[in-house]
């Protein structure tokens, strides 16, 4: 699958993207602009639950690559998003207990791409990311994933905590990465599992952490206090892989 251009500028181009069903993560609109075409675009954005930001003309001019934004710039996903059901279906197809990565607010596209790559290689059935305060499937994410986005479904949800609750009904249990958790080597990480990784600075948010069944820590011997989010995801994922193979 080709990585498409993910910045769309100009009224017609943005409207056409919506009408073609292209997944748009974020829309920037000239603040105060009330003419018909822009109102139509804003209506489409709200209908599709796009993150909408009204900004000054200077900001749009800075963001514009073409100089012809006409008051609207959209960031479209470089790849289609899957649904959570698609991820569960992938596990059923392989006749395996579901193994899902839940990413709470990963903001660095290189980290997200690296985690999707790890998820693929560890045999995870999919990745779930939140709609807000997190990076979407940009071209950088696609490139960093080294092709894994072609094979590993990524779902985008409005509320991670509610999604975890729903997945518990399907028999999954959830382990979140936290510095103060039980050392991962002492834990039973088999069965249908969701691995929850927090953002680069603050870790897993309180609301999401409260929904998790267990917290796991990675033993660390060095002089600094934490691993990069994508490395932590890889270390924990491969402990899950080791236990699933036994």
């Amino acid at each position: 699958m080709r990585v498409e251009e993910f910045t769309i500028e100009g009224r017609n181009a943005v409207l056409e993207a919506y009408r073609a069903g292209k997944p748009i993560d974020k829309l920037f609109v000239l603040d105060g602009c009330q003419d018909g075409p822009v109102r139509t675009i804003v209506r489409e954005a709200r209908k599709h639950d796009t993150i909408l930001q009204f900004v000054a003309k200077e900001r749009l001019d800075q963001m514009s690559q073409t100089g012809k934004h006409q008051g609207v710039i959209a960031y479209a996903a470089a790849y289609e998003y899957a649904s959570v059901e698609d991820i569960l279906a992938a596990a059923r197809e392989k006749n395996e207990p579901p193994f899902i990565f839940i990413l709470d607010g990963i903001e660095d596209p290189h980290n997200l791409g690296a985690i999707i790559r790890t998820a693929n290689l560890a045999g995870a059935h999919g990745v779930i990311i939140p709609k807000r305060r997190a990076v979407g499937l940009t071209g950088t994410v696609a490139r960093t994933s080294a092709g894994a986005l072609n094979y590993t479904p990524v779902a985008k949800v409005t509320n991670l905590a509610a999604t975890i609750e729903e997945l518990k009904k399907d028999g999954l249990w959830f382990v979140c990465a936290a510095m103060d958790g039980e050392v991962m080597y002492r834990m039973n990480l088999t069965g249908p599992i969701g691995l929850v990784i927090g953002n680069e600075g603050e870790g897993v948010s309180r609301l999401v952490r409260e929904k998790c069944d267990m917290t796991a820590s990675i033993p660390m011997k060095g002089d600094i206090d934490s691993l990069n989010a994508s490395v932590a995801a890889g270390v924990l994922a491969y402990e899950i892989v080791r236990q699933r193979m036994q």
Side-chain angles (χ1 to χ4, degrees):
M1 196 189 292
R2 185 173 63 89
V3 179
E4 296 152 20
E5 187 53 59
F6 60 96
T7 303
I8 304 170
E9 301 186 31
R11 297 170 182 194
N12 284 345
V14 171
L15 202 48
E16 281 307 313
Y18 274 117
R19 287 179 175 154
K22 193 164 179 55
I24 292 178
D25 286 337
K26 204 177 268 190
L27 179 69
F28 298 87
V29 178
L30 179 62
D31 198 13
C33 186
Q34 288 296 319
D35 64 15
V38 170
R39 279 217 301 273
T40 304
I41 289 166
V42 168
R43 206 161 47 241
E44 285 291 322
R46 291 197 165 120
K47 194 162 83 188
H48 290 87
D49 204 16
T50 305
I51 295 170
L52 193 53
Q53 287 189 11
F54 294 94
V55 296
K57 183 176 180 297
E58 294 74 34
R59 174 90 192 275
L60 287 170
D61 290 344
Q62 281 168 356
M63 291 166 63
S64 177
Q65 295 169 1
T66 64
K68 299 172 184 167
H69 55 73
Q70 300 173 304
V72 286
I73 295 178
Y75 284 171
Y79 282 72
E80 295 284 328
Y81 290 103
S83 69
V84 174
E85 182 44 47
D86 291 335
I87 293 172
L88 293 172
R92 282 195 299 271
E93 248 172 62
K94 293 181 174 173
N95 205 19
E96 294 170 348
F99 176 17
I100 300 175
F101 280 52
I102 311 267
L103 307 182
D104 186 9
I106 299 291
E107 293 169 343
D108 181 325
H110 296 94
N111 267 345
L112 179 58
I115 292 170
I116 293 167
R117 184 177 185 175
T118 296
N120 177 268
L121 291 166
H125 301 105
V127 176
I128 298 174
I129 62 175
K131 280 191 171 155
R132 296 188 174 271
R133 292 185 291 281
V135 69
L137 296 183
T138 66
T140 302
V141 172
R143 283 188 291 277
T144 314
S145 84
L149 264 181
N150 293 317
Y151 307 102
T152 299
V154 178
K156 197 173 202 192
V157 299
T158 306
N159 186 319
L160 281 183
T163 301
I164 288 172
E165 280 297 313
E166 282 302 306
L167 285 166
K168 283 182 178 181
K169 293 175 191 169
D170 285 292
L172 275 85
W173 61 279
F174 291 84
V175 57
C176 90
M179 303 278 288
D180 56 354
E182 175 77 24
V183 173
M184 65 180 187
Y185 300 125
R186 299 190 192 125
M187 301 174 79
N188 178 354
L189 301 173
T190 56
I193 191 168
L195 172 59
V196 182
I197 301 289
N199 95 345
E200 296 84 356
E202 293 142 40
V204 178
S205 65
R206 184 183 56 80
L207 280 176
V208 171
R209 183 169 173 164
E210 281 170 2
K211 298 290 180 191
C212 293
D213 302 290
M214 302 163 78
T215 54
S217 67
I218 298 166
M220 293 188 229
K221 305 287 186 194
D223 304 309
I224 56 171
D225 64 355
S226 66
L227 288 164
N228 163 288
S230 66
V231 175
V235 173
L236 277 158
Y238 271 90
E239 178 56 17
I240 292 170
V241 170
R242 187 186 70 79
Q243 293 192 20
R244 283 165 82 95
M245 286 172 72
Q246 287 177 341

